[in-house]
Amino acid sequence: MKRILVIDDDTYICSLLENLLKKNGYEADTAMSGKKGLQKIAKEKYDLVLLDFRLPDGDGLEVLESIKKISPLLPVIIITAYADVRSAVKLIQ
């Protein structure tokens, strides 16, 4: 079973994604901050991370860089409710 970690400070989004993933056969876990997400990644194995770009304790780019230091091959998908082309280009680079 694939394990997916959702890192988002919005409880509704975390709950929605967790329930959707579980209904589709995935094992899902959530973290409400970048720090908590990084702690979980350091302790447990995940197959994918869904990472909110705007978090209360740092932006998605900072968290992404920290994730890649812990687990360089772990795929990360950045999610956001805000449309910002400059941020998207920066993340892709």
Side-chain angles (χ1 to χ4, degrees):
M1 179 181 297
K2 300 288 183 177
R3 295 191 72 210
I4 300 173
L5 175 62
V6 178
I7 304 174
D8 198 309
D9 62 324
D10 185 322
T11 56
Y12 175 76
I13 295 296
C14 282
S15 178
L16 178 75
L17 289 173
E18 182 178 25
N19 289 332
L20 179 68
L21 291 166
K22 286 181 177 180
K23 283 182 183 178
N24 285 284
Y26 298 97
E27 187 176 331
D29 198 3
T30 62
M32 300 295 292
S33 70
K35 182 179 179 181
K36 289 179 183 175
L38 292 171
Q39 289 171 346
K40 288 186 177 202
I41 292 168
K43 292 180 183 177
E44 301 179 41
K45 182 183 178 331
Y46 292 97
D47 299 297
L48 176 68
V49 174
L50 299 177
L51 173 63
D52 186 14
F53 182 69
R54 295 191 183 193
L55 295 167
D57 60 344
D59 70 22
L61 182 57
E62 294 168 347
V63 178
L64 175 62
E65 289 171 349
S66 296
I67 289 171
K68 291 303 177 180
K69 287 178 185 173
I70 297 169
S71 184
L73 299 178
L74 178 61
V76 178
I77 297 174
I78 303 289
I79 58 176
T80 186
Y82 303 95
D84 182 358
V85 174
R86 278 182 276 167
S87 296
V89 170
K90 187 175 179 180
L91 286 167
I92 290 171
Q93 293 173 338

